[in-house]
Amino acid sequence: MSDQERVLKFQIFRYNPQKKGDKPRMVTYEVTEAPGMTIFIALNEIREQQDPSIQFDFVCRAGICGSCAMVVNGQPTLACRTLTSKYEDGQIKLLPLPGFELIGDLSVNTGKFMRVMSERVESWIHDKYADEVNFEKLEERMDPDVADEIYELERCVECGCCVSACATKRMRPDFLSAVGFMRLARYALDPRDKRSDEEFYEIIGDDDGVFGCMTLLGCEDYCPKDLPHQTRIAYLRRKMALVR
Amino acid sequence: MKVIYTDSLVIGGGLAGLRVAIASMQRGFDTIVLSLIPAKRSHSAAAQGGMQASLGACIKGEGDDEDIHFSDTVKGSDWGCDQDVARMFVNTSPKAIRQLAAWGVPWSRVRGGDRDVIINGEKVTITEKNEAHGLITSRDFGGTKKWRTCFTSDGTGHTMLYAMDNKAIQMGIPIHERKEAIALIHEDGVCYGAIVRDLITGELTAYVAKATTIATGGYGRLYAVTTNAVISEGIGNAIALETGIATLGNMEAVQFHPTAIVPVGILTTEGCRGDGGLLLDKDGYRFMPDYEPDKKELASRDVVSRRMTEHMRKGKGVPSRYGDHLWLDITLLGRKHIEKNLREVKEICEYFLGIDPVEEYIPVRPTQHYSMGGIRTKATGESPALKGLFSAGEAACWDMHGFNRLGGNSVAETVVAGMIVGEYVADYCSANPLNVSTSTIQQFMKQEEKKITDLLVRDFGENPFQLKAEMQKIMMDKVGIFRNGEDLEQAVEELKVLSQRAKKIALRNRISSSNPELVEAIRVPKMIKLAQCVAYGAMLRTESRGAHAREDYPERNDRDWLKRTLTTWKDDFSDLPEVTYEDLDVMKMEMPPGSRGYGVDNTVQHPDTVRREQEIQEIKKTNPGADRYELQELLNPILIPEKFKGKNERIGRGFK
Ligand SMILES: Cc1cc2nc3c(=O)[nH]c(=O)nc-3n(C[C@H](O)[C@H](O)[C@H](O)COP(=O)(O)OP(=O)(O)OC[C@H]3O[C@@H](n4cnc5c(N)ncnc54)[C@H](O)[C@@H]3O)c2cc1C
Ligand code: SF4
Ligand code: SF4
Ligand code: FES
């Protein structure tokens, strides 16, 4: 942390579709940098002191909830855990995450997208006995390594960075995207989920699914939780190719 | 007027709200969940360390059961909790965790054989039993006799919330996101839903329901520095208060967590200390054993936070431009452990502090963390004052935490309360018809519309962001870890003034749709009222209990203060809430007041304590053959839905 104060220049995308006649534009704001300043802190300062109408989404402000993904100087990332000191020239350009419905300014409706994704991959344990399990008895055992491996995929925070970084998604609006592949891989790995490969194939066995993926791996590059996109997508493709 | 009808309206899409919704849906009732944000982003996702359930599968948890969990919880609460509720809770928590296991939470599991752990700063090898291999494991947490905190790495809340929300999606439960409940609808002492603002379009809708459940989480953002999410602003509590009928319980009971990073207040989990991390001062000296030779870093949270503050006051803090702090040292746990079991902590240190906790110490300081207070409910989760209003989770004062909650007991509460209260909500829906007049709904709608219009037309007035910052500073400086009469009186006076000023907010951005300044203008007056409840309750309570520590009244005073604070705001024009008290009945306690075992015990005894102890001895003597279940039934008979009555199985012990 340096003690030298500098003035940061934020160029921020502004557009409120709710407001009649409003037009998309870039607006510049200046903020005096403080030590340890994050984009979360800076944006709130802009809202409180310069322009109370500016929209953005933060919840946990700790890189945990996935609310605040936006494009920072060209790269999709979690804004709350991005320190301003990272940008040497003090120029920070903020755009809303592409590929999602715009709510206004930097706020996009990732929630809506993720609910649809969850419904599409049926993001839950498929086991007709899950609701009848006798919870007075010892739980079903699970190999500790398998539990850890599932957690690895479960760490996804539904931020949408992978979706916005995906070239295929830009061309195919119904492309399931990496977040969906990761979710599906998570259930495919889980011994509690009784779905067969054929059933998974029904969900992702086409060009809007895993066969549409060009494995350029924008997803893995930008995933803030370092999910193993490459290995998991490759695994799903192999598995699905066998079903085909 | 837009009106949506349902049976069960749940305000809040965190763990507690979702679980209530699942219960009412399972029982066949039409259910809608409202949330400010997508449900999976609720603050429950931030819980790192774990969930307490006495499964006793890991070797250090061996011998654990409901009774020990109960005793830890009651002690932790400094005898301020409702023991019926604590009992219902500990008996149901093992069931809750096993149900979540079936629903997909990848709980970390026991691995049979040797493993190295750090206990009291030393490397120790423990041997897990092969019979327990693959069962849910647990870690050590503050204030517990056994290793009871079950976890998934340090992303426990995240995996629980994902499993819960996925279950809700599977069941097709509608979750209306980006909606804010801003007032409750009620008529003749019965609650019938809420007036809800759409955060995108600004449109108001009346959600009319038979049963309304508030599960909106805590009110940490009344404080300037908190571990809580930016949306933990207590609006659910405030709209209950504003009915003038519903009561809030123990609002002054606010917990500070020992280890949030400096300056931003992001939490590093108690699991850091549970797994063997140490607290060090500016000389690199481990000071906790000097204060608490027995439990050391793993004393209860309130105790550790106070000891840290005391130590810094002695000049032992590490000076920084953000004030003094102490160090949390987890370097002794080693890279492998940290990268596997404390991953979120590692990420937080890297991104927000630019340090690697494997190599460097973490700067920490006690920080606002948890709201024990909330909407007062009966054991069924229903408000004793306003029929048809239920509450669960951190928003509620169901009261299993009293004046201090144990780490890991909160996410456990959200799910357990969700299960139990959810059943009572369903019972209520089946027993009560929807019987509210349209004119009442209209009247509440008009009232909220008018408030918003007033805000939009006022030309000059107060800035809501400014008011909020002033409130947060008052709470931080004067209603903090250590409290005293003089500061509290000032806080109460200053908040009164703020509350008046909050009636004259004017906006710079005057549009009714998506507008962060308007959101703030709606919330801030509500938040200030809640802050007044906290500060006033703290001023009146002239004793120290759990997290409420009065420098001018350092003793716990059971004789005068073994009671729960109840707050209402009956008269909208009054500048203070009304405070009354509800006695805790010692003669009904399964565990009469005793010492928590920290520092010197200077408790002023309650006259009934000795009597109840004798009575318990007597009951035990006259029932020599009674097993622990029968004894509990004699000492603390509890009401609990039929489906949760069964005993819990444990490895090596069966149902004993
Ligand atoms: C950093 C951190 C770590 C923690 N770690 C642990 C731990 O390891 N173990 C443990 O037991 N506990 C832990 N806790 C505490 C625990 O996480 C919370 O107490 C618990 O998750 C609260 O859950 P909830 O369902 O009551 O509320 P929340 O999860 O906070 O959900 C509140 C919901 O209400 C909605 N809402 C709020 N207001 C409104 C409104 N006006 N209208 C509509 N919707 C509204 C929100 O959108 C949200 O969906 C931790 C807390 C923090 C802050
Ligand atoms: S590998 Fe490329 S095409 Fe496939 S999901 Fe990732 S970003 Fe999209
Ligand atoms: S996979 Fe990674 S980038 Fe994609 S939504 Fe999940 S956390 Fe975000
Ligand atoms: S605000 Fe939660 S991840 Fe950024």
Side-chain angles (χ1 to χ4, degrees):
Chain A
M1 284 183 211
S2 117
D3 279 354
Q4 236 171 351
E5 279 185 1
R6 57 174 187 162
V7 174
L8 301 167
K9 269 211 173 74
F10 282 89
Q11 266 185 285
I12 300 180
F13 174 86
R14 298 298 312 267
Y15 174 50
N16 183 356
Q18 298 286 328
K19 206 165 142 185
K20 247 201 174 142
D22 202 32
K23 291 217 168 58
R25 63 205 180 275
M26 296 300 290
V27 179
T28 305
Y29 301 88
E30 293 191 348
V31 174
T32 306
E33 191 172 39
M37 184 176 251
T38 57
I39 293 180
F40 161 73
I41 297 173
L43 280 175
N44 274 291
E45 204 177 299
I46 292 171
R47 181 189 273 174
E48 282 160 31
Q49 295 169 11
Q50 303 183 37
D51 188 339
S53 68
I54 184 168
Q55 298 181 53
F56 44 76
D57 292 319
F58 291 96
V59 178
C60 72
R61 62 80 174 88
I64 288 168
C65 73
S67 299
C68 64
M70 57 182 77
V71 181
V72 184
N73 285 351
Q75 316 222 329
T77 191
L78 298 178
C80 72
R81 67 174 200 189
T82 303
L83 294 168
T84 54
S85 57
K86 215 174 122 177
Y87 303 98
E88 267 165 28
D89 61 358
Q91 305 269 353
I92 300 175
K93 191 169 163 188
L94 303 178
L95 297 172
L97 212 55
F100 299 92
E101 182 184 302
L102 181 76
I103 292 175
D105 305 335
L106 301 171
S107 169
V108 294
N109 206 332
T110 47
K112 199 165 161 186
F113 177 97
M114 294 299 168
R115 169 108 185 189
V116 172
M117 179 278 291
S118 293
E119 285 167 352
R120 190 159 152 199
V121 304
E122 302 191 0
S123 167
W124 52 83
I125 298 282
H126 286 58
D127 174 2
K128 54 181 190 291
Y129 303 110
D131 277 324
E132 288 150 35
V133 71
N134 182 346
F135 48 43
E136 290 161 13
K137 292 213 177 125
L138 290 187
E139 64 278 9
E140 204 174 304
R141 289 170 199 259
M142 183 184 272
D143 186 277
D145 293 329
V146 172
D148 292 349
E149 250 180 280
I150 297 172
Y151 177 63
E152 208 57 34
L153 296 177
E154 179 109 345
R155 291 181 76 243
C156 165
V157 292
E158 297 194 347
C159 65
C161 287
C162 57
V163 180
S164 71
C166 175
T168 310
K169 170 76 184 155
R170 244 165 278 152
M171 295 179 307
R172 307 184 71 94
D174 289 332
F175 184 56
L176 178 61
S177 305
V179 59
F181 299 149
M182 290 302 105
R183 185 59 51 81
L184 196 110
R186 179 240 172 276
Y187 285 96
L189 197 68
D190 194 325
R192 293 169 294 194
D193 193 315
K194 305 291 186 271
R195 273 180 283 186
S196 63
D197 285 355
E198 285 73 20
E199 284 170 283
F200 287 127
Y201 186 86
E202 283 296 306
I203 301 170
I204 54 161
D206 62 10
D207 285 351
D208 278 335
V210 77
F211 296 120
C213 166
M214 302 184 293
T215 55
L216 298 171
L217 294 170
C219 48
E220 179 154 318
D221 292 347
Y222 291 107
C223 175
K225 294 288 153 181
D226 301 323
L227 265 74
H229 294 255
Q230 184 172 7
T231 41
R232 287 296 155 187
I233 292 176
Y235 174 78
L236 283 178
R237 280 173 78 111
R238 276 200 309 275
K239 205 165 150 127
M240 291 301 112
L242 287 177
V243 178
R244 186 153 61 168
Chain B
M1 181 172 65
K2 199 172 157 195
V3 185
I4 293 176
Y5 290 92
T6 186
D7 294 323
S8 168
L9 176 67
V10 180
I11 307 173
L15 280 169
L18 289 172
R19 189 62 186 82
V20 169
I22 289 170
S24 41
M25 194 74 163
Q26 276 174 335
R27 294 265 304 269
F29 294 100
D30 192 47
T31 304
I32 295 177
V33 176
L34 302 176
S35 175
L36 301 173
I37 49 164
K40 283 194 175 86
R41 311 211 189 289
S42 297
H43 199 48
S44 293
Q48 301 167 348
M51 156 167 180
Q52 283 206 43
S54 59
L55 301 179
C58 109
I59 193 78
K60 286 284 188 180
E62 208 174 39
D64 200 9
D65 59 27
E66 297 84 355
D67 299 350
I68 307 178
H69 190 185
F70 177 77
S71 146
D72 284 345
T73 302
V74 174
K75 267 191 201 163
S77 80
D78 221 352
W79 276 269
C81 74
D82 187 330
Q83 295 198 8
D84 290 10
V85 170
R87 234 325 149 185
M88 291 165 86
F89 162 73
V90 296
N91 289 8
T92 312
S93 189
K95 298 179 178 68
I97 205 165
R98 285 173 174 160
Q99 183 169 66
L100 283 174
W103 289 358
V105 175
W107 297 110
S108 295
R109 303 287 171 142
V110 177
R111 189 187 301 274
D114 287 355
R115 66 185 174 116
D116 290 338
V117 296
I118 307 283
I119 299 177
N120 194 16
E122 309 274 326
K123 199 187 225 171
V124 184
T125 303
I126 60 176
T127 311
E128 295 289 0
K129 287 191 175 157
N130 284 325
E131 302 95 272
H133 185 84
L135 294 175
I136 297 172
T137 191
S138 48
R139 56 161 50 128
D140 202 3
F141 248 43
T144 66
K145 267 220 181 71
K146 300 278 179 188
W147 291 22
R148 187 186 301 123
T149 306
C150 307
F151 60 97
T152 37
S153 180
D154 61 351
T156 313
H158 172 89
T159 62
M160 290 172 73
L161 185 62
Y162 270 50
M164 198 69 93
D165 187 49
N166 286 332
K167 185 77 196 167
I169 295 175
Q170 178 189 2
M171 295 175 71
I173 296 176
I175 300 177
H176 296 191
E177 297 171 3
R178 296 184 186 261
K179 308 274 185 201
E180 176 161 6
I182 55 173
L184 291 175
I185 302 168
H186 57 98
E187 181 182 79
D188 301 330
V190 186
C191 180
Y192 292 105
I195 303 294
V196 176
R197 181 168 177 271
D198 185 308
L199 293 171
I200 300 175
T201 63
E203 187 183 29
L204 296 189
T205 303
Y207 280 73
V208 177
K210 288 180 180 170
T212 307
T213 305
I214 295 188
T216 48
Y219 45 87
R221 288 277 157 182
L222 298 184
Y223 288 81
V225 187
T226 165
T227 64
N228 286 194
V230 298
I231 59 163
S232 302
E233 299 192 309
I235 301 308
N237 293 332
I239 61 177
L241 182 71
E242 285 180 338
T243 61
I245 303 170
T247 45
L248 303 184
N250 286 345
M251 290 299 284
E252 68 272 33
V254 177
Q255 181 178 73
F256 289 76
H257 193 292
T259 60
I261 63 171
V262 177
V264 285
I266 296 171
L267 184 80
T268 58
T269 171
E270 187 152 314
C272 291
R273 280 168 295 131
D275 290 1
L278 304 176
L279 290 170
L280 307 177
D281 67 12
K282 67 170 187 191
D283 307 318
Y285 176 72
R286 183 184 174 198
F287 57 93
M288 274 309 293
D290 294 352
Y291 294 96
E292 297 297 338
D294 192 23
K295 276 295 217 169
K296 306 177 184 77
E297 281 83 358
L298 286 172
S300 234
R301 277 185 187 168
D302 57 327
V303 176
V304 179
S305 290
R306 282 195 293 275
R307 296 310 199 184
M308 290 169 75
T309 308
E310 269 179 77
H311 202 64
M312 286 190 282
R313 284 180 178 180
K314 286 181 190 160
K316 293 291 181 186
V318 186
S320 83
R321 61 181 297 153
Y322 302 104
D324 288 359
H325 64 76
L326 293 158
W327 299 116
L328 172 63
D329 172 15
I330 59 169
T331 61
L332 68 169
L333 306 184
R335 181 171 300 277
K336 202 168 141 228
H337 181 91
I338 292 171
E339 285 181 353
K340 179 155 170 286
N341 285 327
L342 297 169
R343 259 178 99 155
E344 301 295 334
V345 170
K346 184 159 187 279
E347 269 187 18
I348 286 166
C349 289
E350 285 166 354
Y351 282 98
F352 293 92
L353 297 168
I355 64 163
D356 178 0
V358 176
E359 314 271 342
E360 288 164 90
Y361 298 162
I362 308 167
V364 295
R365 183 161 61 202
T367 299
Q368 193 291 336
H369 182 57
Y370 186 80
S371 316
M372 273 79 71
I375 299 171
R376 176 63 186 143
T377 72
K378 301 184 276 192
T380 58
E382 191 181 8
S383 161
L386 185 57
K387 235 185 118 193
L389 176 68
F390 291 78
S391 183
E394 192 170 340
C397 178
W398 195 33
D399 217 2
M400 53 163 280
H401 305 301
F403 276 75
N404 173 58
R405 89 149 159 113
L406 295 182
N409 255 358
S410 175
V411 288
E413 171 188 19
T414 60
V415 184
V416 170
M419 291 162 82
I420 294 175
V421 174
E423 293 302 322
Y424 289 116
V425 165
D427 289 351
Y428 184 90
C429 287
S430 70
N432 293 278
L434 186 57
N435 219 341
V436 58
S437 63
T438 317
S439 62
T440 299
I441 303 172
Q442 227 151 21
Q443 180 204 323
F444 278 98
M445 181 64 110
K446 286 234 169 73
Q447 197 175 313
E448 294 311 305
E449 275 168 357
K450 176 165 188 316
K451 281 190 205 158
I452 291 173
T453 320
D454 286 352
L455 282 170
L456 293 174
V457 298
R458 195 173 289 129
D459 285 322
F460 301 101
E462 297 283 348
N463 173 337
F465 297 105
Q466 178 70 35
L467 291 173
K468 180 164 151 188
E470 287 183 36
M471 168 199 70
Q472 289 172 328
K473 185 162 175 6
I474 296 171
M475 295 301 284
M476 205 65 197
D477 293 347
K478 295 176 178 160
V479 199
I481 300 185
F482 283 108
R483 301 165 173 185
N484 64 66
E486 198 179 320
D487 282 351
L488 289 168
E489 275 164 37
Q490 281 176 15
V492 168
E493 287 311 311
E494 289 168 14
L495 288 168
K496 268 187 204 165
V497 176
L498 273 192
S499 198
Q500 288 307 320
R501 285 171 57 198
K503 292 183 176 155
K504 290 180 282 257
I505 291 175
L507 304 180
R508 286 164 287 171
N509 179 37
R510 296 201 232 155
I511 58 168
S512 68
S513 63
S514 185
N515 176 356
E517 194 186 23
L518 177 58
V519 169
E520 208 72 0
I522 294 172
R523 289 185 192 167
V524 165
K526 294 179 161 47
M527 293 175 76
I528 295 174
K529 279 188 184 159
L530 279 192
Q532 288 182 278
C533 295
V534 177
Y536 191 44
M539 183 190 97
L540 295 178
R541 185 173 281 271
T542 48
E543 67 152 356
S544 292
R545 185 179 296 275
H548 172 69
R550 288 282 298 250
E551 289 164 310
D552 41 356
Y553 296 93
E555 69 293 328
R556 187 181 92 202
N557 182 343
D558 289 349
R559 187 190 60 210
D560 305 319
W561 284 106
L562 199 56
K563 40 183 146 190
R564 187 172 295 117
T565 309
L566 296 179
T567 313
T568 47
W569 206 305
K570 294 201 177 106
D571 176 4
D572 213 23
F573 293 98
S574 149
D575 60 2
L576 270 182
E578 286 176 38
V579 171
T580 56
Y581 295 94
E582 171 183 30
D583 284 329
L584 302 189
D585 187 351
V586 177
M587 295 311 288
K588 288 220 172 85
M589 287 185 185
E590 179 176 348
M591 203 170 134
S595 160
R596 287 172 82 193
Y598 299 119
V600 262
D601 178 23
N602 50 7
T603 307
V604 181
Q605 296 296 337
H606 192 281
D608 285 347
T609 301
V610 176
R611 268 211 305 148
R612 177 62 178 164
E613 274 162 2
Q614 284 163 353
E615 194 176 76
I616 291 174
Q617 287 315 319
E618 210 44 46
I619 294 173
K620 283 186 178 161
K621 232 191 275 160
T622 45
N623 295 282
D627 67 8
R628 65 186 188 95
Y629 297 102
E630 289 155 354
L631 261 184
Q632 181 230 304
E633 197 50 40
L634 289 165
L635 297 177
N636 189 10
I638 49 166
L639 185 98
I640 194 169
E642 198 55 43
K643 43 175 104 159
F644 308 130
K645 275 193 177 144
K647 298 175 180 174
N648 300 306
E649 189 186 9
R650 289 181 181 79
I651 185 83
R653 185 165 165 180
F655 290 91
K656 288 259 162 48

